[in-house]
Amino acid sequence: YLERDRLPFDVFLIDECWDMHWGDWMGNDRWPSGMRAAAERIRALGYRPGIWTCPYLAKADSELAVEHPEWLLRLRDGSLVIFPMNGPNYVLDPTFPGVCAFIEALYRRLTEDWGYTYHKLDFLRAVFMYRDAAFYDRSATRLEAYRRGLEAVRRGIGPSAYLSVCGGHYGGSLGLADSQRSGSDVTAIWDEPPALPKLKQNIHRTWMSRLWHVDPDAMMVRRREEPIDVPSHSRLSLGLFTDAEARTIAVNQYVGGGMVCFTEKFCEMDADRKALYRHVIPSVNAPSRSLDYFAPRCPSLLRTLVRPASPDLALWATVAVCNWDDEPRERTLVLSDQVLEDLAGERFLAYEFFSQRLLGVFGRGEAAPLGTLPAHGSAVVKVLPWDGHTPALLATDLHFSMGGVEVAACRAEDDALRGRLETGWRYPVSVTAVFPGGADGEAQTASVTVPPGEREFAIRRPAG
């Protein structure tokens, strides 16, 4: 599919589906050309090859478990530690002589020989979650054992490869992980199990972006009423979100401000759902901050300070406003000191992304009406300082930042706004500007549509 329609993301990751036995890490017969050939094909498409592993686990029938039973972690009573995931698994003891050398050699092979320079490591908690674990090195704590193994991975992949940690320990991964999961596994239905706890985890952990790229787990916005092909995980392959919920799932990727991750069969996707990805790729690279952090159910006001790519543009903020209730709700956005932090001026434009609508010009402390948000729906509002005299870039309909990542240059003239787009998406892009002197005496808008493949735009002041 990507040979026909290349999408502008960075890494193509082969997740858990390629391995023969956990612990041995050789390709299965679903990859007849071999895993090195798969990496070469990914690279030929212009993507970075990524691969999934769980380095601390070994299946009971793996060669590793049969040939090196002494490497397996035991409890204080001498019994083997069993980690249940897709059946029972043994756990490696990173403190046993030879184990870290094995891990280092494994990841050197995956990186240097096979060509995978992005590594997603899963189920790392298996090493530190058992209080009664008896490590070979009795002086090692559970986290010291965990870190020894992770250091061996880093030595094997080298300093320039990317290390993504899932199910690991936040403190124990500091300085080693390039990204860490901020939420639990995604679901394909809003309330089976509830999606909100998963989104809430990401919302409460956006601050971690100062340490690594936060990973909210994969965005899934497909429509699908039947599972794909894996009975034990069939519900994960469904796609039963409403349109409002799908938009909120996309907003969750934006507010994390770090990694944008997704999993789809694009050849089956409806065009409107596929188009949601253009709103979050590339990452805005700025985490949101919850303005109502201690809301009893979940924060619903998520502010992102946007530092635009264009040197001609000043700072603005976006605020994602979410309705976590099961019923529609009227919402407003008060331009409080928290919303306006770091923004100069006394008058501000408020523009809503999904409706592509100017809500008005507001002063500090005033409320911008958003109307009714559907159940589990959201709005994204751009708050932009405006002097009331100078034409300004108001928004695009491409990215939730509304010009932060996709507008490379922009300059205001007396009667026009001119600029340049930079995007890998092949969509027409609507660009909206604001001019002084409308019928209300404060603001009037004008828009142009930039066809796919074109870059320059010029928006002229409306007549009259």
Side-chain angles (χ1 to χ4, degrees), residues 51-235:
I51 198 165
W52 174 97
T53 51
C54 49
Y56 293 152
L57 299 186
K59 291 294 182 184
D61 58 349
S62 64
E63 290 184 10
L64 182 146
V66 172
E67 295 178 3
H68 292 283
E70 72 280 10
W71 286 5
L72 305 179
L73 184 61
R74 296 180 179 271
L75 300 174
R76 291 173 185 169
D77 64 5
S79 62
L80 287 167
V81 171
I82 303 296
F83 181 84
M85 183 60 63
N86 295 350
N89 302 276
Y90 297 139
V91 180
L92 296 186
D93 179 352
T95 73
F96 199 96
V99 170
C100 282
F102 163 78
I103 293 174
E104 181 178 341
L106 164 65
Y107 283 92
R108 184 169 289 110
R109 170 168 61 87
L110 297 179
T111 305
E112 297 180 3
D113 295 348
W114 287 13
Y116 293 91
T117 60
Y118 182 107
H119 295 272
K120 176 183 175 182
L121 275 55
D122 213 347
F123 311 134
L124 297 185
R125 62 186 180 277
V127 167
F128 62 77
M129 66 182 292
Y130 298 95
R131 294 193 176 200
D132 290 335
F135 293 101
Y136 175 82
D137 181 352
R138 297 304 173 91
S139 69
T141 66
R142 286 178 287 156
L143 283 188
E144 286 172 338
Y146 166 85
R147 191 169 177 88
R148 287 186 197 181
L150 202 58
E151 288 172 338
V153 173
R154 174 54 78 182
R155 289 193 301 271
I157 68 175
S160 60
Y162 194 98
L163 181 55
S164 176
V165 170
C166 297
H169 191 277
Y170 291 132
S173 303
L174 278 168
L176 297 173
D178 295 297
S179 68
Q180 289 223 75
R181 280 279 291 275
S182 57
S184 53
D185 284 355
V186 295
T187 183
I189 312 170
W190 188 270
D191 55 1
E192 294 181 18
L196 183 54
K198 302 171 185 299
L199 304 186
K200 186 175 182 178
Q201 290 169 332
N202 184 47
I203 289 168
H204 276 303
R205 290 171 177 161
T206 58
W207 65 270
M208 288 185 175
S209 64
R210 72 190 70 173
L211 306 175
W212 42 64
H213 295 143
V214 293
D215 171 10
D217 199 22
M219 173 175 163
M220 297 191 306
V221 292
R222 67 180 76 98
R223 292 186 181 95
R224 190 178 183 90
E225 296 184 357
E226 298 293 333
I228 295 177
D229 61 359
V230 185
S232 63
H233 298 90
S234 60
R235 65 180 177 81

Side-chain angles (χ1 to χ4, degrees), residues 13 67 115 123 171 182 192 219 285 373 391 398 409 423 435:
L13 173 83
E67 295 178 3
F123 311 134
S182 57
E192 294 181 18
M219 173 175 163
N285 286 321
L373 296 187
L398 185 66
T423 178
F435 297 88

Side-chain angles (χ1 to χ4, degrees), residues 19-54:
D19 46 284
M20 188 174 297
H21 293 96
W22 295 359
D24 296 338
W25 303 115
M26 299 300 296
N28 58 38
D29 57 9
R30 297 176 66 183
W31 302 83
S33 298
M35 300 311 297
R36 180 186 299 175
E40 291 171 351
R41 186 176 180 189
I42 291 170
R43 190 174 291 106
L45 287 172
Y47 300 114
R48 184 174 186 173
I51 198 165
W52 174 97
T53 51
C54 49

Side-chain angles (χ1 to χ4, degrees), residues 229-366:
D229 61 359
V230 185
S232 63
H233 298 90
S234 60
R235 65 180 177 81
L236 297 180
S237 65
L238 298 174
L240 300 177
F241 294 124
T242 67
D243 288 345
E245 291 165 352
R247 287 178 170 182
T248 300
I249 296 297
V251 168
N252 178 55
Q253 296 284 329
Y254 174 72
V255 301
M259 180 185 295
V260 175
C261 181
F262 57 92
T263 174
E264 304 282 12
K265 291 188 75 171
F266 279 104
C267 57
E268 297 181 358
M269 285 195 76
D270 295 329
D272 62 328
R273 291 294 178 89
K274 174 187 169 184
L276 289 175
Y277 284 99
R278 63 190 169 138
H279 303 331
V280 294
I281 297 173
S283 170
V284 69
N285 286 321
S288 73
R289 178 166 56 90
S290 303
L291 303 184
D292 54 343
Y293 192 85
F294 296 104
R297 190 172 188 187
C298 182
S300 62
L301 298 171
L302 310 167
R303 177 190 186 267
T304 302
L305 184 64
V306 177
R307 302 181 184 276
S310 171
D312 311 305
L313 299 173
L315 298 175
W316 64 79
T318 63
V319 182
V321 183
C322 302
N323 174 23
W324 303 123
D325 293 341
D326 297 331
E327 301 293 336
R329 290 285 184 265
E330 290 283 329
R331 295 298 302 267
T332 61
L333 175 63
V334 177
L335 272 63
S336 64
D337 290 341
Q338 285 181 302
V339 170
L340 301 178
E341 185 179 356
D342 299 313
L343 303 183
E346 297 299 322
R347 303 291 287 172
F348 302 88
L349 299 160
Y351 189 90
E352 203 284 312
F353 179 84
F354 290 117
S355 62
Q356 289 289 293
R357 180 169 61 96
L358 177 63
L359 305 178
V361 185
F362 303 92
R364 292 179 178 270
E366 295 182 346

